[in-house]
Every structure is written in structure tokens, then in C-alpha cells.
Amino acid sequence: MQKMLTKPINLILIIIFLAVLCGGGYLSVTNVQKFIVTYNAQQESSAKLVELEEKLALIKEERANKPVNEVKTDKEIFKALDSGIGPDAAYAPLFEKFIDLAKMSGIRIRSIEYSDNPADDRLVSAQLTYLNVKQLKVKAVGSYRNFQTFFRAITKEHYLMSISQMEFQPWENDRSVLISEFFLRLYTKNR
């Protein structure tokens, strides 16, 4: 062994070997520590994931079992003061409010068609027995500013009304006048 250490090349190789052996050992200990930390974090994340999945399943089950029996909105649903009137008559005050808003906005109503409880309405499809929906198909004439004022007034209205499927076409004789067709839904409570 003495002879091996006397040759400079062998001495350098032994020093390099020992350095690699010590450094590799240090690196492997560091890697093992990193692995343990990562493994523990993964185990904690897995436990949290299982817990959250269980909570989600409980919430879904509660929603599925909970009957929909009320409407959540920041607007009030109109209720007729006289409970003896029929559902068609209960819309009269809301219909009058709609006509007043149109007049104040400068809109001229050309025609109105109506239907009861449209199937594509979310509140109707929820089968809320205390709620009636009247859908008006309105054809009206006015300027862009008139319609803007009217739609803004509808959105600010205290009672729940919704507008959908708006279409506008300029009048052929005066392009500043718009002919519009839209659906307006009026909602009333019957109890």
C-alpha cells in the first residue's frame, strides 16, 4: 500500500475517489431528505383531496335532495293584493307598469302577443307551484336612445321582469328609427 501511495497518479486517484464517495454520500442523503419532504407533502395533499371530495359529495347530495321551493333574486316577485283574482288578472299591474315605462321612454308599441308559463323559463322548469310567468312578445318602434332608456328602466324596476331575444332593424324610411321585437317575462306570486 505504501508503494501505491508513493506514485503521484495513484495518490490523486485515491483522493478523487474519496472525494466522490463522500460527496456522493452527501448528495444521496440530501436527495433522500428532499424525497421524504416531498412524499410527506404529497400524503398531506392526498388526505386534503379526499376530505374535499367527501365534502363535495355531501353538498351534491344535499342539493339533489333539497326541493327547489323559492326563488333567490334581489328583485321582488309581484303579488296581487286580492288573492281572489285569477292568474291572468294578477299581471294587470305589471302590464300597466310595462306600458307606462314604454310611454315614458318614448317607445311606441306596435303589437303584443302573450303566452303563459313558457317551457324554456328556468323558474317554470323548476315547477314552483306558487309562481306564474307571463311571456309577452313585443313589437315596438323607437330610437336607439328610447330603447336604451326603456331597457334601463326595466332593469331598475322593483319587480322581477326579464327581457330576452332582442332584435332590432332600422325602419326603411328613416334609419334613425328602430323596429324591435323582444320577449318580456312578467312574474307573479299566487300565494
Side-chain angles (χ1 to χ4, degrees), residues 105-179:
S105 302
I107 302 239
R108 293 186 191 109
I109 305 295
R110 293 177 91 186
S111 69
I112 298 174
E113 299 172 18
Y114 71 91
S115 61
D116 292 321
N117 299 322
D120 64 337
D121 188 277
R122 290 187 307 172
L123 298 178
V124 170
S125 64
Q127 299 178 348
L128 304 174
T129 57
Y130 65 90
L131 186 70
N132 296 309
V133 181
K134 176 93 55 199
Q135 177 171 275
L136 307 176
K137 182 179 180 182
V138 180
K139 292 183 182 176
V141 177
S143 68
Y144 173 82
R145 177 78 60 193
N146 296 137
F147 281 109
Q148 181 183 28
T149 303
F150 172 71
F151 293 137
R152 192 172 288 144
I154 289 288
T155 59
K156 290 180 180 179
E157 178 56 33
H158 178 71
Y159 293 110
L160 182 62
M161 297 182 191
S162 68
I163 297 175
S164 63
Q165 300 177 12
M166 294 181 279
E167 294 180 14
F168 295 94
Q169 296 177 4
W171 186 38
E172 56 195 43
N173 294 339
D174 183 358
R175 298 193 64 76
S176 67
V177 176
L178 298 174
I179 301 171

Side-chain angles (χ1 to χ4, degrees), residues 56-74:
L56 179 62
L58 286 173
I59 290 171
K60 283 182 179 180
E61 185 179 330
E62 286 176 5
R63 282 188 180 174
N65 294 336
K66 182 179 178 183
V68 178
N69 59 3
E70 63 182 55
V71 177
K72 303 234 188 261
T73 179
D74 59 342

Side-chain angles (χ1 to χ4, degrees), residues 36-100:
I36 291 171
V37 168
T38 304
Y39 178 77
N40 288 338
Q42 188 269 338
Q43 290 298 322
E44 288 176 18
S45 296
S46 293
K48 286 180 184 178
L49 178 62
V50 168
E51 182 182 329
L52 290 174
E53 286 175 344
E54 289 172 355
K55 284 182 181 180
L56 179 62
L58 286 173
I59 290 171
K60 283 182 179 180
E61 185 179 330
E62 286 176 5
R63 282 188 180 174
N65 294 336
K66 182 179 178 183
V68 178
N69 59 3
E70 63 182 55
V71 177
K72 303 234 188 261
T73 179
D74 59 342
K75 300 216 175 210
E76 186 177 328
I77 296 176
F78 181 79
K79 183 174 191 266
L81 296 176
D82 182 11
S83 61
I85 63 174
D88 285 332
Y91 292 101
L94 284 179
F95 186 76
E96 185 177 349
K97 184 68 173 174
F98 155 69
I99 296 296
D100 288 344

